[in-house]
């Protein structure tokens, strides 16, 4: 459980271990979701997508890919590419430049906004599965979604089979951000949802790493209650508040 203030590095506390774990895998070339990051709302998903793009686009050789699965994710690759183009056209040129390595900035023609957008699309699609069909065909190493969409994915046969069943030998890390929002009846529903997810990916209790983050769980005086809350939410043992 990571409990610290807004803007103090919660994302890095789970993203760095995820990337470290993936880079150490000998089977990284195989498809299958290794890590799922769950957010309570689309706005937080969108922020994480930007961060992952910026980070993973700087790989000299692409070893890690990700995808986000929300109501915004287009089904067809062609539609997803057009949606991505519209999104990037609204970016500042400086933001797009951050997707390229120093060598690429030197060698590619990024002289106009249109050229910059097209090169950015080409770069992003090497590290991100941008459509639902791409995610079905080859589930990315990191999947970002919200709990409402996860509920739909676990009900629908296509996602349950092609995404989760296909990840039964690879799934390792489950992250729940803004964990304090899952209290009361919502917390019970999400806890059951996480149990269904574990069944879908075929993992037993204590066989995956679970990480929860929050900026609203109090100080060290309530660590015991925080660990109990996390254990109840995930149905797993939690041993540390950081």
């Amino acid at each position: 459980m990571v409990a610290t203030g807004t803007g103090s590095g919660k994302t890095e506390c789970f993203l760095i271990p995820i990337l470290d774990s993936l880079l150490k895998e000998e089977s990284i070339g195989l498809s299958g979701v290794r890590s799922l990051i769950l957010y309570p709302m689309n706005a937080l998903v969108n922020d994480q997508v930007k961060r992952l793009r910026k980070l993973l686009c700087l790989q000299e050789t692409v070893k890690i890919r990700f995808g986000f699965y929300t109501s915004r994710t287009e089904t067809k690759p062609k539609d997803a590419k057009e949606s991505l183009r519209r999104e990037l056209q609204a970016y500042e040129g400086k933001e797009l430049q951050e997707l390229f390595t120093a060598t690429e900035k030197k060698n590619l023609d990024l002289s106009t906004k249109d050229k910059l957008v097209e090169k950015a699309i080409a770069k992003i699609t090497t590290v991100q599965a941008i459509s639902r069909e791409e995610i079905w065909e080859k589930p990315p190493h990191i999947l970002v979604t919200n709990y409402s969409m996860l509920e739909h994915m676990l009900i629908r046969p296509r996602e349950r089979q092609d995404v989760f069943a296909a990840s039964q030998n690879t799934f390792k890390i489950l992250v729940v951000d803004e964990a304090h929002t899952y209290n009361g009846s919502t917390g019970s529903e999400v806890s059951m949802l996480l149990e269904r997810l574990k069944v879908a990916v075929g993992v037993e209790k204590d066989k995956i790493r679970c990480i929860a983050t929050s900026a609203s769980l109090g100080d060290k005086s309530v660590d015991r209650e925080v660990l109990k809350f996390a254990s109840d939410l995930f149905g797993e043992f939690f041993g540390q508040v950081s």
Side-chain angles (χ1 to χ4, degrees):
M1 168 64 79
V2 179
T4 184
T6 301
S8 58
K10 292 191 299 298
T11 297
E12 286 73 18
C13 286
F14 62 79
L15 197 53
I16 291 173
I18 286 174
L19 298 179
D20 179 66
S21 175
L22 284 169
L23 289 172
K24 289 176 179 176
E25 278 192 18
E26 295 181 0
S27 59
I28 197 168
L30 302 177
S31 64
V33 176
R34 309 314 202 265
S35 303
L36 186 139
I37 306 173
L38 193 68
Y39 288 96
M41 60 188 74
N42 277 354
L44 295 171
V45 172
N46 298 339
D47 181 67
Q48 186 62 61
V49 166
K50 285 186 176 182
R51 190 178 303 209
L52 281 166
R53 282 178 186 162
K54 180 180 175 181
L55 185 61
L56 297 182
C57 275
L58 298 182
Q59 299 175 89
E60 293 290 347
T61 301
V62 176
K63 294 183 177 180
I64 301 173
R65 299 182 76 245
F66 82 100
F68 77 90
Y69 210 105
T70 70
S71 57
R72 287 182 53 233
T73 309
E74 299 283 356
T75 300
K76 298 290 184 181
K78 181 180 178 181
D79 295 333
K81 193 170 184 178
E82 287 305 311
S83 177
L84 178 59
R85 179 176 286 106
R86 290 192 297 271
E87 177 189 344
L88 297 182
Q89 285 170 342
Y91 283 25
E92 296 290 336
K94 183 179 179 181
E95 286 184 277
L96 296 176
Q97 290 276 355
E98 292 176 342
L99 299 173
F100 300 94
T101 65
T103 300
E104 288 170 333
K105 290 177 184 178
K106 180 179 179 181
N107 296 331
L108 295 175
D109 182 359
L110 306 175
S111 57
T112 68
K113 180 66 174 294
D114 286 343
K115 290 179 180 179
L116 189 53
V117 167
E118 292 307 313
K119 295 295 184 182
I121 292 171
K123 190 71 188 292
I124 288 170
T125 51
T126 66
V127 302
Q128 179 184 343
I130 64 172
S131 70
R132 296 187 182 195
E133 287 187 353
E134 290 173 87
I135 292 173
W136 298 339
E137 183 177 339
K138 189 176 182 180
H141 305 106
I142 302 170
L143 186 64
V144 185
T145 189
N146 57 62
Y147 72 89
S148 295
M149 182 55 71
L150 180 60
E151 171 78 30
H152 291 304
M153 293 176 76
L154 288 171
I155 292 172
R156 295 193 290 239
R158 186 66 189 265
E159 287 94 333
R160 187 177 178 89
Q161 183 63 37
D162 291 353
V163 179
F164 297 121
S167 304
Q168 288 197 354
N169 296 318
T170 61
F171 194 85
K172 292 185 175 182
I173 300 176
L174 172 60
V175 179
V176 174
D177 193 45
E178 303 292 334
H180 62 275
T181 62
Y182 304 118
N183 54 21
S185 59
T186 301
S188 298
E189 290 171 5
V190 172
S191 180
M192 290 186 286
L193 181 65
L194 297 183
E195 288 300 318
R196 289 167 53 203
L197 170 65
K198 287 185 281 185
V199 170
V201 295
V203 294
E204 300 175 357
K205 185 179 176 65
D206 298 329
K207 297 299 183 182
I208 57 172
R209 172 168 291 181
C210 297
I211 303 171
T213 73
S214 174
S216 306
L217 285 176
D219 57 27
K220 288 186 176 296
S221 65
V222 294
D223 277 4
R224 182 174 297 179
E225 290 86 349
V226 168
L227 291 176
K228 176 67 164 54
F229 166 75
S231 297
D232 290 344
L233 179 64
F234 284 82
E236 301 281 346
F237 171 75
F238 271 70
Q240 181 179 355
V241 178
S242 301

